[in-house]
Amino acid sequence: MLTSSTEWQNLQGHFNAIESVHMKALFEQDSERFQRYSMTAAGITLDYSKNRITDETIELLAALAKATKVEEQRDRMFAGEEINVTEHRAVLHTALRNFSGKPVYVDGEDVMPQIEATREQMKTFVDAVSSGQKKGYSGKVFTDVVSIGIGGSFLGPKIMSEALKPYRQDNLNVHFVANVDGCHLRDVLAQLNPETTLVITSSKTLTTQETLRNTQSAKEWFLGSAMQADVKYNFVCVSTNIEAAETFGISKDNIFPMWDWVGGRYSVWSAIGLPLALAIGYDNYEAFLKGAYEQDCHFQEAPLTENMPVLMALLGVWYRNFHGAQSQVLLPYYHYLRGLPAYVQQLDMESNGKSVTLENEEVDYATGPIIWGSEGTNGQHSFHQLIHQSETPIPVDFMLPLHPDCDYADHHDMLAANCFGQSQALMEGQTQEQVIAAMTKAKCSTEEISNLSSHKVMKGNKPSNTLIFDRLDPKTLGSLIALYEQKVFVQGVVWQINSFDQWGVELGKVLGNKVLGTLQDSSVELTMDGSTNGLVALYRQRK
Ligand code: F6P
C-alpha cells in the first residue's frame, strides 16, 4: 500500500517535523523565497512560495512521484497505451492538440490523420458559417447557435467561450443548453428564429437522456416552421455514435466524429469544441489547442521539481494527505474566467473521486478533493471568512491576468491589489499583539480590546498558489486548462487510481431512467425503497 511506502512515511515524518513552522518565518529567513519558489512555463507564471514547504518537502514529494511512476505513466498516456484499464481505452486528448508532426498510435494505427481531417472539417464548417456561405434551410445566414450537451459535452465549450468573450465573433450568438429542465431550453429558444438557428448536439455516446430530450424538443420547435427534410440544413451532431446521428436525420457533412479514447471531460479539444470554434473563429480555436500543446510539451520535458503541473499536483497531495485538506478553492480574479471553478470541478472530481486502486484494493488514504470557488473579489465579501479564520485547511489557487481586456485600468489595479492582498493575509495573518497594538492606536478602550482582540486574530499560515499570465488569450487559456488536466493526471497516478472512468455517475443514470418509467405510467407497481416509492407516489398524486 502507498501509505506504508518509504516515500510516504518520509513525508509523514517531515510533516510532523515542520507542521508548526509558520510561512512568515520561512519568508523572514529567506529573502529569495519568491525567486526560488516561482516558475514560468507555457505563458503562465506560478508563484508557489506561499506554501508550507521547504526544499526538503519538494524533494520528498518528488521522490513520491518517482516511486509511483509518474513519468512512466505520463509517457504511456502520450504514447496511446491503454491506461484507462477499466474501460480498456487509451487516453489521448493530448493527441487532439498534438502539433509535433509525429504520429500517435492506438492499436498500431496512427490516429493523427483522422484528427487532422476532423480539424479541417471543423475549419471549413466554421468558416462557411461565419462567412454566411453556409445558410439555414430558408436561405438566411445563421445568427445563432444552440449547443445542446451536458457534462464534458457542455462545460468545455461553454466556459471557454465565456472566458474568451473578448475574442468572440460578433455575427454569431452561441447559446448553451445542458439541463433537461425545460425552463432553460424554452428561455433560449424563445428569443430565436428557427430559420437562422443552427442546433449542435454534442454527445460522445448520443445516449444521454438530457441531451436526447433537449434535441428532440429543439427539433419539435424547429418543425413548427420547417419540414423534416430541412433538418439537414440546421442540425449538426458531434458524436462517436455516427449511426444514431444519421437516424436522427443529420446529414453526413454535418456529423463530426470523435473517438472512444477521448474522455467526456477532456473533450473540448475534439469536435466537441465546435461551438467554441464558432464563437471565437477557427484560428482562435487552433491557438487554444496550441496553448495546450505547449503545456503538454513542458509537462513531458521538464524535470519533476521544475514541472508546473507536477508541482501543483504534489502540493495538492501534500495538503490533502498530510495536512488533511478536504477541498481546494479556485479564485480567478478575472470576470471572464468565472466559470473555471465549475470546469475544474468536473475535471478533478469526476476523475479523482475514486476509492479503489488499479490493483483493486480499497484506498486507506484520501483521494480527489472537493473543488469549488468563484471569481474574486466577490468571495472576499462572503466565504473567504472561513478560509481566513476557520481551522479547516483550504489551499487556494489565485489567478490573475496582467492585462484585462477591459477599458477601466484603475479597476484592474484594485482587482490585482485584492488578489495579492488576500494571499498575503492568508499567509501572514495577524497576531493578538498586532491586533492589540492597532486597537490601542485607534484609542479603543481596555474593555473593548479585551473583548475583541482574540476574535480579530488570524493565525495565517494558509497556503496558496498564484497563477499570473499576460492576458487570457486563446493560447494562454489552452495552456491553463491543460495545466489543470495534467495536475489531475499526476495526482491520479500518485493515488494509484484510474482517473479516466466514471462508474460513480452510471448508477444514477440507470436509476433515473427506471424512475422515469414509474412517473410516466402510473399503473407501474412501485417496488423501490420506501422513500423513493413515497416520493413517486406523492409526485403522481399531486402533479
Ligand atoms: O454524466 C457523466 C458523463 O458521463 C460525463 O463524463 C460526460 O461528459 C457526460 O456524461 C455526457 O456524456 P455524453 O457526451 O455521452 O452525452
Side-chain angles (χ1 to χ4, degrees), residues 70-90:
V70 164
E71 288 152 308
E72 288 87 336
Q73 283 298 99
R74 172 197 63 194
D75 295 345
R76 293 186 66 217
M77 172 171 72
F78 279 92
E81 287 188 37
E82 193 188 285
I83 63 164
N84 177 358
V85 289
T86 59
E87 295 181 317
H88 306 292
R89 288 173 185 168

Side-chain angles (χ1 to χ4, degrees), residues 150-153 203-205 208 264-265 346 350 502 505 509:
I150 198 162
S153 298
S203 175
K204 178 176 170 181
T205 55
T208 306
R265 54 195 170 274
Q346 187 204 16
E350 204 173 37
Q502 56 285 316
V505 300
K509 286 188 189 177

Side-chain angles (χ1 to χ4, degrees), residues 114 118 121-122 148-149 153 200-208 211-212 215 236-248 250-252 254-262 264 267 270-275:
Q114 24 179 343
T118 307
Q121 187 191 357
M122 286 172 73
I148 298 175
S153 298
I200 304 179
T201 296
S202 300
S203 175
K204 178 176 170 181
T205 55
L206 214 53
T207 58
T208 306
T211 302
L212 293 181
T215 305
V236 170
C237 183
V238 184
S239 186
T240 54
N241 193 347
I242 311 285
E243 218 180 295
E246 281 180 351
T247 311
F248 188 82
I250 315 267
S251 85
K252 270 205 166 64
N254 284 0
I255 300 175
F256 293 80
M258 60 187 292
W259 305 275
D260 68 358
W261 38 258
V262 185
S267 62
S270 72
I272 291 287
L274 186 65

Side-chain angles (χ1 to χ4, degrees), residues 39 41 149 165 173 190 257 289 436 441 492 519:
M39 62 168 298
K165 186 164 186 242
N173 293 311
L289 299 185
I436 292 171
K441 201 169 166 208
L519 297 181

Side-chain angles (χ1 to χ4, degrees), residues 367-392:
T367 56
I370 297 160
I371 303 291
W372 60 288
S374 74
E375 67 185 299
T377 64
N378 298 6
Q380 289 176 213
H381 303 276
S382 149
F383 57 78
H384 283 221
Q385 165 61 35
L386 188 145
I387 307 175
H388 283 292
Q389 273 194 318
S390 88
E391 288 298 324
T392 310

